[in-house]
Amino acid sequence: FISNTSKEHITFRWNTNTTPLCGEVISVSPDSGTLGPGASTTIEVSLLPSSYPAIFDLDIICELTDNSKEASYVEALAHYEHALEEDRITFTIKEAVPQAPNKIDKSMDNWVATETLNKYTLCPPLEPRSVTP
């Protein structure tokens, strides 16, 4: 049996991969689940026989997660990610008053082309060449 003696919901998960051989010779059912406050459930641990006699010294670990703390963590993480996204797309102008430049270069304001530009140069027409065998 596994029992939840706390006042919060918990999630359990059995880790049978503590050693390379452990996952092959031990089976836990159910391998994960959620238990409400005061709830319990039956856990079946099976040793899977091999073709030869052997002695095993294996550890299986039951990982427990307090769902209320996980929910508050997920909420805080979502808030943090939202703040990061908001910082990424938000900007603040910190310049007091835009200043006019002291000297403006107006040398090119009245520039006009004085010569007409020819884009194309005419080529002579192509004449067919005769092919001699």
Side-chain angles (χ1 to χ4, degrees):
F1 285 100
I2 183 171
S3 298
N4 179 8
T5 58
S6 73
K7 295 179 181 173
E8 305 293 335
H9 284 76
I10 63 162
T11 300
F12 66 92
R13 185 178 76 83
W14 290 95
N15 183 355
T16 58
N17 294 321
T18 54
T19 62
L21 186 61
C22 190
E24 297 176 16
V25 296
I26 289 183
S27 171
V28 180
S29 179
D31 62 347
S32 64
T34 301
L35 292 173
S40 63
T41 188
T42 303
I43 303 295
E44 181 180 306
V45 180
S46 302
L47 180 63
L48 306 171
S50 59
S51 60
Y52 56 90
I55 296 174
F56 297 103
D57 182 16
L58 305 170
D59 295 322
I60 58 172
I61 298 171
C62 183
E63 299 170 353
L64 301 173
T65 305
D66 183 349
N67 290 356
S68 63
K69 290 182 182 178
E70 184 179 19
S72 64
Y73 167 77
V74 169
E75 182 180 337
L77 180 63
H79 179 70
Y80 172 74
E81 288 173 346
H82 175 71
L84 280 180
E85 180 66 16
E86 193 171 278
D87 286 347
R88 189 181 69 78
I89 62 175
T90 304
F91 65 93
T92 304
I93 299 174
K94 295 184 178 182
E95 186 177 312
V97 177
Q99 299 290 326
N102 295 336
K103 183 178 178 185
I104 299 175
D105 183 15
K106 294 188 175 188
S107 62
M108 298 298 288
D109 284 354
N110 297 320
W111 183 79
V112 177
T114 57
E115 297 180 17
T116 305
L117 300 176
N118 291 330
K119 289 185 175 181
Y120 308 102
T121 304
L122 204 54
C123 295
L126 297 174
E127 296 178 11
R129 295 201 296 177
S130 61
V131 178
T132 55

